[in-house]
């Protein structure tokens, strides 16, 4: 508080000093004797250098008869002073003539800034009114100094001091230098809530944008005190309560106080919650004779028995008003009315549909789009010039423009048109940077260390296009990708995209082989509803397996790669058709040497060469999550199918569903139910490849290694002591129950949450290659005869399950997750990996 008083006191003193010469001049003029009756042409001017005499005379407006009276002279004097062109203006009567003596303000030679490190010169120069080659004005300079200080305050530096220094130069010129002492950032040291009974302070801190300062605050900026952000937080709290049934809520005040000891601000939100209401009834009343109000009921998102939700109410009004407009009632207005029952804590909702005034849109003016093309903005409107004015459609256009993320601010206002039934829409925009260059790094137990360099543009060429190029290089994964999206194909609400990619997966501790994939995938996206979207896609890609030579030979001595020719007795007795495991689905056929090479399907696909996959598919997504990044409530369902066989030499039908349901429980604990399943069907004459099968691990049941679940090659188990490659399966299911909870003893801004969970699932039904007739001099030739290879593999529908704990960190370095899970039930040859870590960042 003392800091604010010092700033204000200094400013008032400066203004008093600046105003003193003007007051003295005015007093002297008023005391001077009135001039004789004069005309404008008889006024004499002295002291002017740059301002023309006629310009000075023009400020004196004559009365009747062309004469200047004392009132006109006084008004002219005031007008000259108000121009800011003069340091001093005097009017006197000399020899019966009116003499105006002026002292012009100097011209500014240069404007400089010293001491500014956090705000660049270009930004400050754009904000001040004092410009090079402009007229110097002390009041303007003082206003500029205060404005510079205000810029720093918005950046959280309330200890800023700005001292303007004026350096006189010859020829009535001055240099202006603003000496700035920036001071340290002033953060928010604590955020408190008073009166919040329904929601904890921890939960409300997750709603607002302002955060408390902590040891990681230097990586962000939301801990800096900003009064505008505090005011916006009040509205966020209010809307959150209104969304959860508190129709009478009031955020009475947001109290801020500077604490000199903590060197920061203490923010306290005072809340009056009121009662929580449920919807008792929903009715529809139409005063339009030909429009049945009940026919709009299906467009309402307000239901009997549900909690009162102001957001759903607003959306219902918008949906019904738009539907009425589609039916030809362009001027229909939907207004909700709520009747509260204070004893029962219920509210009865009535949607009143009335005929509104007949007003048309005369013109849509767009301001502030220096880069974005006009048509990119106009296509977000469902109305145009000449259409009926519909406030719901205008509000939806404003929301769409904000969601584009092209602009810092979007505001649509109206003004009267050329007649009473016309209205003009003014779209005020402030653009922001839409390009991103990022270097990302991460590590996971699956892919190892990983780095990505990407460049993207959300508003490419100002046409609203999205373009991205990325290069990935990691320990086990590498690739290049190009993406392009046109959100309005042929000016329809259809998003058209194209992805071109190259991916390389290297052998690691989980798989013995590598893969190379190159291809492209065009796609179309449709928004069926706000919570329902459809994507159609086509994919064409070439995929091949890479394998070291010592693993691609059934005539090797294990570990040496030396070829040898076994005797028939060795083949029959050591590598005979016996099942060495007792759990196999196929027998090892006589005549195949197995001493450590990769699994039969891997080597067979390698021998067959690269495979081309040509597939069409679609995805249907239903999303009601409250926050896509950090959800606490809502449902997300993803159903997708892909059919391969539209050309190429691979054919199958693959279906998969994934559903997640989040719900808040008690004390900021969030419950998550996750179910998933999939099926791969053989289609046509082409054999299913191993690479087409589902591969599962911790993505299905945590506590298992990548590719650690499901059918596995056991051919070489008696000779190597371990199972071979994971083969994958054609069917899988999974279910998970998880509780996510905050660490209440840590500041909310740290972003740490804990999790406990239980997983269950299974993968089975391998349908890839199991036999292979090989030929060749060394690879497959046994005593001059082809080698008929078979495979022993384990494949059963065993339920895998685990329990575990996790640590989730929404860190400034990116999202990180640590999991430790213990398998409860597993298949005999499944591979366990109890600890798992994954995460990354952009820097």
């Amino acid at each position: 508080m003392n800091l604010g008083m010092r700033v204000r006191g200094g400013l008032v003193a400066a203004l008093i000093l600046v105003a003193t010469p003007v007051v003295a001049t005015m007093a002297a003029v008023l005391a001077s004797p009135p001039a004789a009756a004069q005309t404008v042409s008889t006024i004499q001017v002295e002291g002017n250098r740059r301002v023309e005499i006629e310009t000075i005379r023009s400020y004196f407006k004559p009365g009747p008869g062309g004469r200047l009276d004392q009132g006109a002279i006084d008004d002219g004097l005031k007008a000259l002073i108000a121009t800011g062109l003069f340091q001093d203006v005097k009017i006197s009567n000399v020899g019966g003539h009116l003499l105006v003596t002026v002292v012009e303000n100097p011209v500014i030679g240069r404007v400089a800034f010293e001491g500014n490190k956090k705000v660049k010169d270009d930004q400050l120069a754009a904000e001040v009114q004092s410009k090079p080659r402009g007229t110097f004005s002390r009041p303007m300079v003082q206003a500029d100094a205060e404005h510079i200080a205000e810029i720093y305050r918005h950046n959280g530096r309330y200890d800023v001091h700005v001292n303007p220094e004026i350096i006189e130069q010859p020829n009535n010129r001055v240099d202006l230098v603003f000496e700035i002492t920036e001071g340290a950032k002033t953060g928010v040291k604590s955020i408190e809530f008073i009166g919040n009974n329904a929601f904890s302070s921890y939960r409300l801190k997750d709603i607002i944008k302002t955060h408390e300062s902590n040891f990681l605050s230097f990586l962000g900026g939301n801990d800096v005190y900003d009064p505008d952000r505090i005011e916006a937080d009040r509205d966020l709290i209010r809307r959150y309560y209104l969304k959860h049934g508190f129709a009478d809520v009031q955020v009475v005040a947001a109290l801020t106080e500077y604490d000199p000891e903590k060197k920061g601000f203490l923010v306290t939100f005072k809340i009056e919650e009121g009662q929580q209401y449920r919807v008792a009834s929903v009715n529809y009343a139409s005063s339009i004779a030909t429009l049945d109000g009940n026919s709009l009921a299906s467009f309402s998102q307000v239901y009997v028995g549900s909690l009162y939700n102001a957001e759903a109410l607003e959306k219902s009004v918008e949906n019904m008003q738009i539907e009425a407009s589609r039916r030809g009632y362009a001027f229909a207005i939907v207004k909700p009315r709520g009747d509260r029952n204070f004893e029962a804590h219920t509210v009865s909702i009535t949607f009143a549909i009335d005929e509104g005034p007949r007003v048309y849109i005369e013109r849509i003016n767009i301001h502030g789009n220096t880069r974005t093309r006009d048509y990119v903005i106009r296509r977000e409107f469902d109305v145009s010039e000449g259409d009926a004015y519909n406030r719901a459609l205008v509000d939806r256009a404003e929301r769409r423009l904000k969601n584009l993320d092209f602009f810092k601010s979007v505001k649509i206002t109206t003004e009267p048109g050329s007649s009473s039934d016309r209205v003009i829409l003014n779209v005020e925009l402030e653009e922001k940077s839409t390009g991103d260059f990022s270097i990302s790094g991460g590590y996971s137990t699956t892919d190892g260390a990983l780095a990505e360099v990407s460049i993207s543009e959300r508003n490419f060429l100002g046409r609203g296009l999205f373009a991205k190029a990325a290069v990935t290089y990691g320990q086990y994964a590498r690739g290049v990708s190009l993406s392009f999206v046109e959100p309005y194909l042929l000016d329809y609400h259809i998003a058209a995209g194209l992805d071109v990619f190259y991916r390389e997966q290297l052998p690691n501790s989980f798989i013995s082989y590598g893969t190379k994939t190159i291809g492209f995938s065009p796609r179309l996206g449709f928004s069926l509803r706000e919570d329902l979207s459809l994507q159609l896609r086509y994919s064409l890609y070439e995929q091949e397996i890479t394998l070291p030579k010592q693993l691609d030979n059934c005539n090797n001595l294990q570990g040496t790669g030396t070829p040898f020719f076994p005797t028939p007795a060795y083949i029959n007795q050591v590598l005979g058709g016996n099942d060495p495991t007792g759990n196999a689905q196929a027998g090892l056929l006589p005549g195949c040497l197995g001493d450590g090479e990769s699994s039969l399907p891997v080597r067979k696909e390698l021998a067959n060469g690269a495979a081309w996959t040509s597939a069409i598919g679609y995805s249907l997504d239903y999303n009601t999550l409250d926050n896509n990044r950090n959800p606490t409530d809502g449902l997300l369902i993803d159903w997708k199918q892909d059919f391969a066989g539209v050309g190429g030499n691979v054919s199958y039908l693959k279906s998969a569903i994934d559903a997640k349901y989040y719900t808040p429980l008690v004390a900021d604990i969030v419950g998550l139910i996750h179910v998933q399943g999939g099926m791969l069907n053989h289609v046509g004459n082409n054999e299913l490849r191993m690479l087409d099968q589902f591969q599962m691990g911790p993505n299905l049941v945590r506590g298992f290694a990548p590719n650690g679940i499901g059918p596995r090659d056991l051919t070489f188990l008696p000779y190597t002591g371990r199972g071979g490659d994971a083969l994958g399966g054609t069917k899988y299911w999974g279910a998970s129950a998880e509780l996510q909870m905050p660490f209440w003893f840590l500041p909310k801004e740290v972003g740490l949450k804990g999790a406990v969970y239980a997983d269950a699932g299974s993968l089975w039904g391998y349908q890839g290659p199991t036999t292979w007739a090989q030929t060749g001099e060394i690879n497959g030739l046994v005593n001059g005869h082809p080698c008929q290879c078979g495979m022993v593999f384990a494949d059963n529908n065993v339920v895998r399950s685990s329990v575990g704990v996790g640590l989730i960190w929404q860190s400034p370095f990116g999202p990180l997750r640590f999991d430790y899970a213990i398998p409860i039930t597993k298949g005999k040859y499944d591979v366990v990996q109890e600890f798992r870590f994954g995460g990354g960042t952009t820097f």
Side-chain angles (χ1 to χ4, degrees), residues 380-455:
E380 300 299 330
F381 286 81
D382 291 326
V383 292
S384 57
E385 284 92 345
D387 290 347
Y389 173 71
N390 188 314
R391 187 67 226 181
L393 292 176
V394 173
D395 289 341
R396 184 162 74 172
E398 183 172 342
R399 187 170 62 251
R400 285 176 175 174
L401 288 172
K402 290 179 179 178
N403 291 338
L404 289 176
D405 199 26
F406 298 167
F407 311 103
K408 287 183 180 178
S409 62
V410 178
K411 188 175 183 180
I412 301 179
T413 58
T414 61
E415 64 177 72
S418 58
S419 61
S420 59
D421 64 343
R422 295 289 186 271
V423 66
I424 298 173
L425 298 183
N426 292 313
V427 184
E428 301 293 338
L429 307 169
E430 183 181 357
E431 292 192 311
K432 67 178 181 181
S433 174
T434 55
D436 292 304
F437 174 78
S438 66
I439 302 175
S440 304
Y443 180 83
S444 74
T445 48
T446 305
D447 297 324
L450 192 70
E452 180 184 83
V453 178
S454 67
I455 181 170

Side-chain angles (χ1 to χ4, degrees), residues 169 188 194 230 280 550 595 631:
Q169 302 290 351
V188 176
I194 298 176
I230 296 292
Q550 64 268 23
D595 57 358

Side-chain angles (χ1 to χ4, degrees), residues 745-799:
F745 55 88
L746 292 177
K748 171 73 177 177
E749 290 70 27
V750 175
L752 276 174
K753 291 191 298 184
V756 294
Y757 51 82
D759 296 344
S762 187
L763 171 69
W764 74 100
Y766 172 73
Q767 294 183 18
T770 57
T771 61
W772 183 25
Q774 301 183 60
T775 60
E777 291 185 359
I778 294 200
N779 184 18
L781 192 64
V782 180
N783 289 340
H785 300 284
C787 175
Q788 177 69 25
C789 284
M791 181 176 66
V792 177
F793 64 101
D795 185 3
N796 46 52
N797 188 10
V798 175
V799 176

